């Protein structure tokens, strides 16, 4: 691995530590304290033990007892403080783990809809979340940096002690052994051997980690497929219907077996890799231990150090080897994490493609918000064809409007642009004469209560779904439920508005029509000045549909309302009908006027009328 890459990894790592510190300024100092405690504890024990052994050998038993007591007290005090800190860290680690997801989701919410709709974004979020599950999140980054720092301090301290040992001069033995154990020879021979071992360990571990990373990368696709099969197919009770009707059981089991085989092969290869690495590590550490003991025995034999010092230096060298292994391990782990951590930081830095407006939206009790499209065209990102072409229209103030047209004519796109989910490619949309891009986005969206075709309800309680982000009031919830025609259904539920909905997630299952009515209740609850219903009644029976329209008619009396419907009969009662064709408005007027024109509207009307006579 070249230096540039290592620098890049640590730049990413340190940036993340900075962010963690900003979130909670106690985490890093507490970890530093733990490092200091563990280093002091480890080396104090070595020094005290060495003195203790020398005292025993020298027959100074009183001193030996005193030293033993000091040793025990140090171990106890530092041990207790360390374990209290580690217990605290456990809670912190969980917080850090969750923080990673919170940051991702916060960012996803802050992104403009246009970007969020792009499948690449969903894949990116999935990749970040899944890789963090495999390699660890922010808590793991902190852990590895602590390991690295602790290892560096230990290696430095041990190296310093070994340097001191090398300096110890021989006082007896033959000229040859005195020369071999002299400070210069000690530094050259032992220092060289140590350095060689460390370099070889780095290379050796690096080789296997790289191999493992490649295997994991290939394996991520398999894991994703298994997770899809499990979550979306085997554990999805709704999929069960389709599987049985279309006899897909055998095909699915065959698919699942094929993926399981890949998992088995992956683990086989992974185990063989670990075995080879484990064997290599054992050989390296045995050679290292053999070398250090040989060196120490020589130093004791020529009288350079005492027997007590032997234990001290043996311990220091063992700690050096252990710290070195920890350093390599953590460095490699960070290396594995670096790719996705860099992508994570990139993701957090994504700019919104939308213009950020700051002008507040005027709060008007009279609800007089006039919206207009001025020569608006729009092309979806990555699509060659415009979905809207030169749309120029004013939305009638407090009028009941309808938008009609064949599938793909651009009706939903028109609404999405109106709600500022997308920005026009050309032209502008205005609110009371001002370009909507200039307004504060959230305040602007507060103007709309929308029931989309693919309305989404979530596996929360009825109350949470209806009130959404607009402050929960039981009275208002019941009013909205009543107006949407679903009050009786909710009254029958075991916990009324506190009942969890959506069966697959442990809630109650409601019919398609009931769910759609709840979506309507949510739009009513918002009590926005502009109400938009995009195919709102598709799942309703004709009686419910009529009731909903009547109720909505009442509700939107003082509002601007827009209905998008394929059922032409529901447009009949609108004051103003916009007819879309191939992304443009081709006709506009009242039901009678449009029928009299005998154009596209009349054709659509005729086409449906024949099913009703
Ligand atoms: P309607 O609501 O009238 O059925 P839409 O507004 O949904 O029509 O679609 C208008 C055109 O834009 C269609 O050609 C459709 O295929 C295309 N379109 C809709 N959504 C997207 C999208 N997210 N990406 C690319 N093209 C889209």
């Amino acid at each position: 691995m070249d230096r540039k890459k290592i620098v890049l990894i640590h730049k990413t790592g340190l940036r993340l530590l900075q962010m963690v510190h900003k979130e909670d300024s106690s985490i890093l100092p507490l970890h530093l304290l733990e490092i200091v405690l563990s280093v002091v504890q480890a080396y104090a024990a070595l020094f005290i033990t060495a003195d203790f052994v020398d005292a025993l050998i020298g027959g100074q038993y009183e001193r030996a007892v005193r030293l033993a007591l000091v040793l025990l007290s140090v171990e106890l005090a530092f041990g207790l403080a360390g374990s209290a800190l580690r217990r605290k860290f456990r809670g912190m680690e969980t917080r850090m783990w969750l923080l990673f997801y919170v940051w991702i989701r916060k960012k996803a919410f802050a992104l403009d809809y246009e970007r969020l709709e792009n499948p690449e974004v969903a894949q990116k979020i999935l990749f970040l979340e899944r890789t963090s599950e495999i390699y660890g999140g922010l808590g793991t980054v902190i852990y590895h940096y602590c390991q690295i720092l602790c290892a560096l301090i230990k290696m430095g301290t041990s190296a310093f002690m070994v340097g001191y040992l090398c300096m110890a001069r021989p006082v007896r033995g033959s000229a040859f052994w005195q020369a071999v154990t002299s400070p210069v020879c000690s530094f050259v021979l032992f220092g060289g051997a140590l350095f060689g071992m460390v370099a070889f360990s780095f290379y050796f571990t690096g080789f296997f980690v790289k191999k493992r990373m490649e295997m994991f990368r290939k394996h991520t696709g398999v894991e994703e497929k298994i997770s899809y099969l499990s979550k979306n197919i085997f554990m999805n009770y709704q999929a069960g219907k389709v599987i049985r009707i279309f006899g897909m059981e055998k095909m699915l089991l065959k698919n699942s077996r094929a993926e399981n085989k890949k998992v088995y092969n992956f683990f086989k290869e992974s185990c063989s890799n670990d075995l080879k690495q484990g064997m290599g590590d054992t050989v390296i550490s045995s050679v290292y231990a053999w070398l250090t003991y040989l060196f120490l025995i020589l130093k004791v034999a020529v009288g350079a150090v005492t027997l007590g010092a032997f234990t001290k230096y043996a311990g220091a060298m063992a700690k050096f080897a252990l710290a070195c292994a920890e350093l390599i391990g953590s460095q490699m782990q960070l290396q594995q994490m670096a790719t996705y951590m860099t992508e994570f930081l990139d993701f957090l830095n994504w700019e919104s493609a939308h213009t950020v407006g700051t002008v507040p939206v005027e709060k008007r009790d009279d609800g007089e918000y006039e919206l207009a499209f001025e020569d608006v065209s729009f092309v979806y990102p990555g699509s060659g064809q415009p979905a809207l072409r030169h749309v120029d229209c004013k939305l009638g103030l407090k009028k009941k409007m309808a938008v009609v047209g064949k599938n793909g004519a651009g009706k939903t796109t028109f609404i999405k642009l109106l709600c500022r989910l997308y920005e026009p490619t050309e032209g502008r949309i205005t609110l009371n004469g001002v370009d909507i891009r200039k307004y504060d986005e959230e305040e602007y969206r507060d103007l709309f209560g929308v029931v989309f075709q693919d309305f989404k309800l979530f596996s929360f309680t009825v109350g949470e779904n209806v009130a959404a982000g607009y402050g929960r009031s039981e009275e208002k919830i019941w009013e909205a439920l009543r107006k949407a025609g679903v009050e009786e259904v909710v009254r029958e539920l075991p916990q009324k508005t506190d009942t969890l909905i959506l069966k697959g997630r442990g809630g109650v299952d409601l019919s398609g029509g009931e769910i759609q009515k709840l979506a309507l209740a949510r739009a009513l609850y918002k009590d926005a000045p502009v109400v938009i219903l995009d195919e709102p009644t598709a799942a309703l029976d004709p009686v419910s549909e009529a009731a909903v329209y009547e109720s909505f008619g009442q509700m939107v009396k003082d509002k601007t309302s827009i209905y998008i419907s394929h059922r032409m009969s529901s447009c009949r009662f609108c004051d103003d009908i916009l007819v879309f064709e191939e992304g443009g408005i081709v006709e506009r007027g009242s039901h009678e006027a449009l029928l009299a024109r005998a154009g596209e509207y009349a054709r659509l009307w005729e086409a449906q009328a024949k099913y009703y006579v």
Side-chain angles (χ1 to χ4, degrees), residues 117 380-381 383 385-388 405-414 416 422 453 534 564 566 580:
E117 212 193 28
Y380 278 102
S383 156
Q385 287 293 317
L388 286 187
K406 289 191 205 114
N407 268 343
K411 306 181 293 290
T412 304
T413 308
F414 174 75
K416 282 182 182 166
Y422 291 92
Q453 220 168 14
D534 185 357
I564 304 179
H566 281 291
F580 272 77

